[in-house]
Amino acid sequence: HYPLRRQRQMCIRDSHDAAHLLLKMERRSPRFPELESLRPLLLTLAGQQALNQGEPSCAELFWQPLLTEQPFNPQLAINLLEVLDANNHDQERSRLLTRFLKWLEQEAKRNPQEWPAQRLKLTQAHLHCWMADAYIAIDRDRAALGSVQQAERICPTSPEVLGRKGLIEAVDENYDEAIALLTQALENGCRYREVYTCLLYTSPSPRDRQK
């Protein structure tokens, strides 16, 4: 086994390779007690390093166990959602979002002072919009529409909700309504790439405006 000091150095210098080694060792035999305290930090750092190196599949490999084995970590969940999106693992993304929504509901009950009504509604609506995106990616259009409608019931003024509603109007070729909603969404802080792209392609050109 590596001396503990050597293991700590590996965590800092090359956590990516060290994490692969750790997981390989665990497959061969039970976990090593001396590595237990380092394991969460190592896998967290390794996932970030893998993501920075353009290897989201490795980041998913490192981060998935942490969300299963430890108390739910919302920031880690957000990072993993990004990775699952990059890896086109949209079914896993929808499952993780379901967990996220359940955690949020429980957390708001445990710590209501941390989750005033407006913050809670905006966050819930945002997560439901992400759920809609995941459903669209796996061709579950009806479920996606249901998620957007759920988000709208929770917080109709959410920029994320306005953006998804704009996308729906664009699909239905209601371009005036789509442009208004997409523009409002972006002006109020929506950063979803599809909203910007859709507005770019549905907005009339200067020549069209002159007609």
Side-chain angles (χ1 to χ4, degrees), residues 102-154:
K102 289 180 180 177
W103 172 85
L104 181 60
E105 182 180 356
Q106 294 167 355
E107 185 65 15
K109 290 178 181 177
R110 282 193 298 263
N111 300 298
Q113 70 282 358
E114 297 292 329
W115 292 97
Q118 187 61 17
R119 182 189 181 201
L120 178 60
K121 289 178 180 179
L122 278 169
T123 306
Q124 288 175 321
H126 201 146
L127 292 176
H128 279 291
C129 286
W130 282 353
M131 183 77 82
D133 302 338
Y135 282 144
I136 285 291
I138 53 177
D139 297 323
R140 293 185 59 186
D141 296 354
R142 219 175 206 179
L145 179 59
S147 291
V148 173
Q149 291 170 340
Q150 176 70 3
E152 185 177 14
R153 284 192 291 270
I154 294 170

Side-chain angles (χ1 to χ4, degrees), residues 61-73:
L61 178 68
F62 301 145
W63 283 342
Q64 278 279 25
L66 293 178
L67 277 176
T68 303
E69 301 161 0
Q70 298 190 322
F72 191 84
N73 182 327

Side-chain angles (χ1 to χ4, degrees), residues 47 59 162:
L162 296 173

Side-chain angles (χ1 to χ4, degrees):
H1 307 310
Y2 292 103
L4 190 57
R5 182 177 299 175
R6 173 62 172 162
Q7 293 159 9
R8 289 185 185 276
Q9 291 172 346
M10 289 179 65
C11 283
I12 296 170
R13 287 206 304 261
D14 196 354
S15 52
H16 188 163
D17 287 346
H20 276 300
L21 177 60
L22 174 63
L23 295 178
K24 186 176 180 180
M25 291 164 61
E26 288 180 352
R27 284 195 293 270
R28 291 177 177 174
S29 61
R31 289 185 192 166
F32 297 90
E34 63 271 24
L35 289 176
E36 281 299 301
S37 62
L38 289 177
R39 190 175 188 275
L41 175 61
L42 174 58
L43 293 179
T44 299
L45 293 175
Q48 189 59 57
Q49 185 179 9
L51 193 59
N52 294 342
Q53 293 171 339
E55 299 186 54
S57 59
C58 291
E60 181 179 347
L61 178 68
F62 301 145
W63 283 342
Q64 278 279 25
L66 293 178
L67 277 176
T68 303
E69 301 161 0
Q70 298 190 322
F72 191 84
N73 182 327
Q75 185 56 60
L76 181 61
I78 290 172
N79 294 344
L80 183 55
L81 285 168
E82 179 184 346
V83 166
L84 292 171
D85 186 19
N87 292 336
N88 296 319
H89 290 170
D90 300 296
Q91 193 71 51
E92 286 297 321
R93 192 156 53 118
S94 65
R95 292 193 190 103
L96 179 52
L97 284 163
T98 298
R99 284 187 62 197
F100 207 149
L101 283 162
K102 289 180 180 177
W103 172 85
L104 181 60
E105 182 180 356
Q106 294 167 355
E107 185 65 15
K109 290 178 181 177
R110 282 193 298 263
N111 300 298
Q113 70 282 358
E114 297 292 329
W115 292 97
Q118 187 61 17
R119 182 189 181 201
L120 178 60
K121 289 178 180 179
L122 278 169
T123 306
Q124 288 175 321
H126 201 146
L127 292 176
H128 279 291
C129 286
W130 282 353
M131 183 77 82
D133 302 338
Y135 282 144
I136 285 291
I138 53 177
D139 297 323
R140 293 185 59 186
D141 296 354
R142 219 175 206 179
L145 179 59
S147 291
V148 173
Q149 291 170 340
Q150 176 70 3
E152 185 177 14
R153 284 192 291 270
I154 294 170
C155 189
T157 59
S158 161
E160 302 300 324
V161 171
L162 296 173
R164 272 58 175 196
K165 287 178 63 181
L167 293 175
I168 292 170
E169 295 293 348
V171 169
D172 291 340
E173 299 184 357
N174 299 321
Y175 296 120
D176 289 342
E177 293 87 343
I179 290 169
L181 287 164
L182 295 169
T183 301
Q184 189 179 355
L186 292 172
E187 287 177 346
N188 284 279
C190 179
R191 294 294 178 265
Y192 186 40
R193 182 177 56 195
E194 295 298 324
V195 169
Y196 177 80
T197 302
C198 185
L199 181 60
L200 192 64
Y201 283 101
T202 54
S203 295
S205 67
R207 181 180 297 176
D208 292 333
R209 294 192 191 100
Q210 293 172 2
K211 292 180 180 180

